[in-house]
Amino acid sequence: MRDQHPAPDSSARRLSTKETAQLLGVKPETVYAYVSRGQLSSRREPGGRASTFDAAEVAALARRNRRESAGGSGSGGGDLSVRTRITLIDGDRYFYRGVDATELATHHSYEEVAEWLWTGRMQRGVAFAAPKATVAAARRAVDALPEHTTPTDRLRVATIAAAAEDPLRFDLSEEAVLGTARVLIPTLVAALAPQHRRGPDDGPLAHRLWRRLTGVDPTDAGLRVLDTALALLVDHDLAASTLAVRVAASARAHAYAAVSAGLGALEGPLHGASSGLAHRLLVDVLDQGTAVPVIADELRAGRRIPGLGHRLYQGEDPRARVLFDLLEGIPRAQPALLAARDIVATTARHAPLHANVDLALAVFTASCGMPATAGETIFAVARTAGWIAHTLEEYGERPLRMRPSGHYVGPRPPQPLPE
């Protein structure tokens, strides 16, 4: 990094990197990130190697950070706003670090897209691998769970076991966190019980995940859909689970703990479990041969039709569009595709909604012999990479900034002591 050299001012007090970091409430590495972004200027004193910083400029940056944090804290009743360089959703398209996410997902593997999200560099042919000891610890922990536990339960327990196996998990430097990510993601996949007796435990992550989702033999077309789905689902701005991750990272929880927070939020029926609801709906339509009675039952019960609509897109969910196009090339997916179109057309009589990625995942999982929970597993494994990206970004911000003020509406004090 090249220091900027403003004109010397002998009257201005200069701060060391340590003093600057303390005043801003960040790590020393973040101070230099501010310099690289042009938010701070630095200078090396004659005869010295360390950089120094103008006290007034540092104070102004600290005030600006506090104002921005307060403005997005939610204390005034507005929505929480978080600066991010990771994902932009604009119209009916979304972008990873400025590059169209659907283009990235269709031209690069999940691992390559993850690395792009983390580092802003494209690394062709990158593969993730986990130490045998970490995988063994995760498998032992997952194998001890009751049979009825959900995939997200298993992934959360595997994450905790992997953390316990890593005594250096409290190192929050970028290099250490990226090392954690490259180990944790394959560990999560390896900790799941195989459903297929044959298959690799190395190579592309999608190939390893396939045999843990279904006993059906993989095809090149099926593996491509799975790999593309993983890449499409890596991140999607500040979804509920991602916000939970950033809150944990703001408190300087280590990366495993931040991912655990995301997995906890993911399990809700309005988030990660939505694909399972869409899967069951699709299977019901396939069994009935038509969507009309199935949709009628859902509407009669007052339930929202899963797999349709998305609050961030007025038109079609771009993730669904990509997956549907790929599924057209899989002959055994044709009945499920027809059923999905029937669901959209039937529901359009009541509310004209487009298919979202949950319905596209349901077509994939239902046509490949996967259980209803497979979509949630795919979602969780994929999104772990995005959570790591947000964790790293949050580590570069002022700690504990995710602290909105409560609006108390209870009895006004002082109240008498309860009898």
Side-chain angles (χ1 to χ4, degrees), residues 150-190:
T150 67
T152 308
D153 286 331
R154 299 185 186 105
L155 294 174
R156 192 161 53 239
V157 168
T159 301
I160 295 169
E165 186 67 23
D166 183 3
L168 303 180
R169 60 187 178 275
F170 296 101
D171 184 348
L172 306 187
S173 67
E174 180 176 346
E175 183 179 1
V177 172
L178 289 178
T180 293
R182 294 170 185 134
V183 166
L184 177 58
I185 293 173
T187 298
L188 295 180
V189 173

Side-chain angles (χ1 to χ4, degrees), residues 107-270:
H107 290 90
H108 295 278
S109 71
Y110 166 69
E111 294 94 322
E112 290 170 349
V113 173
E115 289 285 349
W116 169 257
L117 209 66
W118 296 336
T119 67
R121 298 187 298 274
M122 182 54 66
Q123 299 184 46
R124 289 281 190 176
V126 64
F128 299 156
K132 291 182 179 179
T134 304
V135 171
R139 282 179 175 166
R140 283 195 302 270
V142 169
D143 288 346
L145 295 172
E147 288 187 9
H148 65 265
T149 51
T150 67
T152 308
D153 286 331
R154 299 185 186 105
L155 294 174
R156 192 161 53 239
V157 168
T159 301
I160 295 169
E165 186 67 23
D166 183 3
L168 303 180
R169 60 187 178 275
F170 296 101
D171 184 348
L172 306 187
S173 67
E174 180 176 346
E175 183 179 1
V177 172
L178 289 178
T180 293
R182 294 170 185 134
V183 166
L184 177 58
I185 293 173
T187 298
L188 295 180
V189 173
L192 298 172
Q195 305 299 311
H196 199 295
R197 62 183 180 276
R198 292 178 299 160
D201 268 328
D202 54 12
L205 197 86
H207 294 207
R208 286 176 265 172
L209 182 58
W210 178 283
R211 66 185 290 254
R212 287 167 169 84
L213 297 175
T214 180
V216 173
D217 288 336
T219 62
D220 289 343
L223 288 169
R224 188 186 176 201
V225 172
L226 179 55
D227 190 44
T228 303
L230 288 167
L232 289 169
L233 293 168
V234 164
D235 191 54
H236 206 232
D237 195 32
L238 286 182
S241 56
T242 304
L243 181 58
V245 166
R246 293 198 73 130
V247 171
S250 177
R252 296 304 182 256
H254 55 70
Y256 300 96
V259 169
S260 294
L263 288 168
L266 184 72
E267 204 166 14
L270 300 181

Side-chain angles (χ1 to χ4, degrees), residues 83-112:
R83 294 176 301 175
T84 179
R85 297 169 179 262
I86 298 171
T87 299
L88 169 68
I89 298 175
D90 185 19
D92 289 335
R93 300 174 69 189
Y94 72 119
F95 305 84
Y96 293 154
R97 294 190 179 273
V99 179
D100 188 295
T102 60
E103 291 292 319
L104 278 170
T106 52
H107 290 90
H108 295 278
S109 71
Y110 166 69
E111 294 94 322
E112 290 170 349

